[in-house]
């Protein structure tokens, strides 16, 4: 029977429509995540061997994060008319980060004390050992002074070759102020940096085509290596953590968006591709460049995005904040240790420090939990062996919550600074101005046509084009 001779009442999807659906990155990532889970579940050994696919994709993106953050921040600061605004943006961002992180920790503390997922386990501490834990979990952790000193790189260039975002931010801010103060002498360098950022985002666009491959490999490894059976023993902790993270996103972050005249659910739809990539890789780092471009496309100015979003990757890990309080109290409950309110508040104060500086990569929350237990005497570090096997199943929730939290923070700070085009933001979130990256000009030396709208991947200043009227 030909396609034209289909039975009456039968609805067939046109091949062109299917091809268009499959061309969307979020559809490709969703299929890849599901296939990875199937492969890991049916063939665990094969799934465990696919880990290099996810690691390679993350490594490809990470090698471009430092130069992209540098170019974005430097050009944003150099093009600002008032350099004092940078300090004002930074201060507002840090205050916001501290408040929301504290709210996340208190929420986790309340839930774990109400649900009590560790009660009744009666684990014998003598049966636990630190053998098998990551080396980072059992080594001495730096204090606050060492953390601040580590922000200063050994050289100007070494910040761009390391794995930490904070040294890159420090160098970028200083260099941007230097260009801003140099007047005519710095204009040529600022233009060169802007052109370099266009090249870097072209590379990112190419690399992101491999996102489904990375998500497939990472999910297959997670299911194949750890197995869904691991969840049965600690399902209450994993389930309560995911529900707490969901509550924080929908209620707390939703309220922040409402206070700033925007809505959360359209924003989640807007970043659905990034959310699926994070779900597959358990890391927020691969989507940092795309988030910067999308937030600028939504009307936030380049300096605010360039400062707030990268800083949030170290100072605004909302998902990790929830995990720290729930994880530490859960371990105490499992060991039969009765923590008083004073002891829990003391641990919370320590967590406000240990949660800072953690990179948005897989396992960083577990290392931050180890640092917390090392700093307080209430729960032994060996207790981490209880949650090590299921940590990977909670890392996705940590990463997703932190990603949404940093996106909301950037829009909020931009609005407070008057650096958010609210009409454009609403139109973008409604879908009236879709985000559609286009290839950069083939000739790098070609001057852009001022009459054309530059590609969002090049991260231009938010354009103020006409906003379609709401239907």
């Amino acid at each position: 029977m030909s396609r034209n001779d289909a039975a009456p009442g039968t609805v067939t999807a046109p091949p062109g429509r299917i091809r268009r659906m499959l061309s969307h990155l979020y559809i490709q990532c969703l299929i890849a995540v599901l296939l990875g889970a199937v492969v890991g579940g049916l063939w665990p050994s094969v799934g465990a061997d696919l880990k290099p696919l996810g690691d390679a994709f993350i490594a490809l993106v990470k090698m471009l994060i430092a130069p992209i953050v540098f170019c974005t921040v430097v050009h944003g600061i150099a093009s600002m008319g008032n350099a004092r605004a940078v300090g004002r943006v930074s201060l507002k961002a840090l205050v916001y980060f501290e408040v929301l992180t504290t709210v996340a920790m208190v929420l986790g503390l309340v839930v774990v004390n109400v649900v009590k997922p560790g009660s009744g386990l009666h684990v014998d501490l003598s049966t636990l050992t630190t053998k098998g834990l990551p080396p980072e979990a059992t080594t001495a952790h730096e204090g606050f002074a060492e953390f601040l000193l580590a922000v200063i790189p050994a050289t100007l260039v070494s910040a761009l070759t390391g794995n930490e975002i904070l040294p890159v931010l420090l160098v970028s801010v200083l260099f941007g102020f230097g260009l801003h103060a140099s007047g005519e002498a710095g204009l040529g360098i600022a233009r060169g940096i802007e052109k370099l950022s266009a090249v870097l985002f072209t590379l990112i666009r190419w690399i992101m085509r491999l996102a489904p491959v990375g998500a497939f490999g990472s999910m297959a490894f997670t299911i194949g290596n750890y197995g869904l059976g691991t969840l049965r023993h600690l399902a209450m902790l994993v389930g309560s953590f995911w529900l707490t993270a969901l509550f924080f996103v929908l209620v707390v972050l939703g309220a922040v968006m409402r206070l700033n005249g925007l809505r959360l659910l359209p924003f989640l739809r807007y970043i659905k591709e990034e959310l699926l990539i994070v779900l597959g890789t358990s890391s927020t780092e691969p989507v940092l460049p795309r988030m910067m471009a999308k937030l600028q496309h939504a009307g936030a100015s380049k300096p605010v995005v360039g400062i707030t979003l990268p800083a949030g990757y170290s100072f605004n890990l909302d998902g990790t904040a929830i995990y720290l309080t729930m994880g530490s109290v859960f371990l105490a409950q499992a060991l039969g240790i009765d923590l008083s309110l004073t002891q829990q508040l003391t641990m919370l104060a320590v967590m406000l420090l240990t949660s800072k500086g953690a990179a948005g990569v897989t396992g960083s929350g577990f290392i931050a939990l180890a640092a917390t237990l090392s700093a307080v005497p209430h729960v032994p570090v060996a207790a981490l062996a209880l949650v090590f096997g299921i940590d990977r199943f909670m890392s996705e929730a940590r990463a997703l919550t932190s990603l949404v939290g940093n996106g909301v923070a950037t829009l909020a700070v931009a609005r407070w600074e008057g650096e958010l085009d609210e009409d454009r933001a609403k139109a973008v979130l409604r879908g009236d101005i879709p985000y559609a990256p286009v290839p950069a000009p083939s000739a790098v030396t070609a001057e852009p046509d001022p009459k054309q709208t530059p590609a969002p991947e090049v991260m231009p200043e938010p354009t103020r084009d006409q906003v379609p009227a709401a239907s």
Side-chain angles (χ1 to χ4, degrees):
M1 180 184 293
S2 66
R3 179 167 172 252
N4 293 330
D5 296 332
T10 302
V11 179
T12 58
R17 183 178 180 183
I18 296 177
R19 282 197 298 269
R20 285 197 301 272
M21 287 181 60
L22 293 178
S23 67
H24 291 297
L25 182 62
Y26 72 94
I27 295 292
Q28 297 171 11
C29 288
L30 180 60
I31 294 174
V33 167
L34 295 176
L35 288 178
V38 170
V39 171
L42 297 179
W43 303 284
S45 60
V46 175
D49 291 337
L50 293 176
K51 185 175 185 289
L53 293 179
D55 292 344
F57 169 69
I58 294 175
L60 283 172
V61 179
K62 285 181 66 176
M63 75 178 182
L64 294 177
I65 286 179
I68 283 177
V69 171
F70 176 80
C71 291
T72 303
V73 176
V74 168
H75 182 262
I77 294 176
S79 61
M80 288 181 69
N82 181 11
R84 292 181 180 177
V86 176
R88 195 168 60 243
V89 169
S90 302
L91 179 61
K92 289 181 179 179
L94 290 176
V95 171
Y96 174 93
F97 294 160
E98 202 61 36
V99 171
L100 265 291
T101 301
T102 303
V103 171
M105 288 184 176
V106 171
L107 177 62
L109 201 61
V110 171
V111 171
V112 76
N113 277 282
V114 172
V115 178
K116 298 184 183 298
S119 296
L121 292 181
H122 305 298
V123 176
D124 185 0
L125 181 60
S126 62
T127 62
L128 301 178
T129 175
T130 57
K131 184 179 179 181
L133 295 178
E136 298 89 346
T138 55
T139 55
H141 298 276
E142 63 184 15
F144 187 65
E146 290 77 9
F147 165 71
L148 291 179
L149 290 175
V151 175
I152 305 175
T155 65
L156 191 71
V157 179
S158 64
L160 303 179
T161 59
N163 295 319
E164 301 294 333
I165 292 180
L166 289 181
V168 180
L169 269 179
L170 175 64
V171 169
S172 304
V173 170
L174 292 176
F175 199 84
F177 276 125
L179 286 183
H180 188 277
S182 299
E184 292 291 333
L187 288 179
I189 298 177
R191 294 193 189 100
I193 288 177
E194 184 180 18
K195 293 180 182 296
L196 176 60
S197 68
V199 176
L200 292 174
F201 271 92
T202 298
L203 298 179
I204 280 291
R205 190 178 65 251
W206 293 346
I207 291 174
M208 292 310 296
R209 294 174 182 172
L210 300 175
V213 178
F216 168 76
S218 295
M219 184 57 67
F221 164 75
T222 298
I223 303 299
N225 190 64
Y226 298 104
L228 292 174
T230 312
L231 293 174
R232 285 198 294 267
H233 303 288
L234 300 168
M236 186 172 289
L237 173 62
V238 176
S240 59
F241 174 70
W242 272 85
L243 290 176
T244 304
L246 183 63
F247 178 86
F248 178 83
V249 169
L250 295 180
V251 177
V252 179
L253 297 182
V256 173
M257 289 287 281
R258 281 288 187 183
L259 290 174
N260 288 280
L262 302 173
R263 293 190 297 134
L264 179 67
L265 293 182
F267 177 68
L268 296 180
R269 286 196 297 268
Y270 179 57
I271 61 170
K272 58 181 178 293
E273 293 177 351
E274 290 70 32
L275 292 174
L276 283 171
I277 293 172
V278 169
L279 177 65
T281 61
S282 298
S283 173
T284 57
E285 284 200 336
V287 299
L288 174 58
R290 282 178 61 92
M291 284 294 291
M292 296 174 75
K294 278 197 166 183
L295 289 169
Q296 288 186 56
H297 177 72
S301 69
K302 180 182 289 187
V304 173
V305 173
I307 294 173
T308 306
L309 189 63
Y313 269 57
S314 291
F315 290 102
N316 191 43
L317 301 175
D318 297 327
T320 299
I322 297 172
Y323 171 78
L324 289 179
T325 49
M326 294 193 68
S328 58
V329 177
F330 166 82
L331 294 177
Q333 293 171 351
L335 296 173
I337 301 173
D338 186 18
L339 294 177
S340 66
L341 179 60
T342 302
Q343 289 174 323
Q344 293 189 34
L345 293 178
T346 301
M347 294 180 69
L348 189 147
V350 172
M351 292 169 192
L352 289 174
L353 299 179
T354 55
S355 63
K356 302 298 184 288
V361 297
T362 306
S364 61
F366 185 79
I367 303 305
L369 179 59
T372 302
L373 299 185
S374 300
V376 293
H378 311 311
V379 182
V381 177
L384 289 171
L386 290 174
V387 295
F388 180 57
I390 61 167
D391 179 74
R392 182 80 185 205
F393 293 99
M394 293 188 285
S395 65
E396 287 94 348
R398 291 199 302 262
L400 289 169
T401 305
S402 297
L403 177 70
V404 178
N406 285 322
V408 171
T410 303
L411 293 176
V413 173
R415 184 179 182 275
W416 298 340
E417 272 294 294
E419 294 291 334
L420 176 67
D421 187 334
E422 296 184 44
D423 292 334
R424 179 182 177 86
K426 293 176 182 178
V428 168
L429 297 187
R430 284 198 308 266
D432 296 337
I433 309 178
Y435 176 82
V438 295
S442 57
V444 176
T445 56
E447 291 295 329
D449 185 353
K451 297 181 180 180
Q452 295 181 352
T453 302
E457 293 281 359
V458 181
M459 298 184 66
E461 297 292 341
T463 54
R464 310 298 184 185
D465 48 4
Q466 186 174 0
V467 179
S471 57

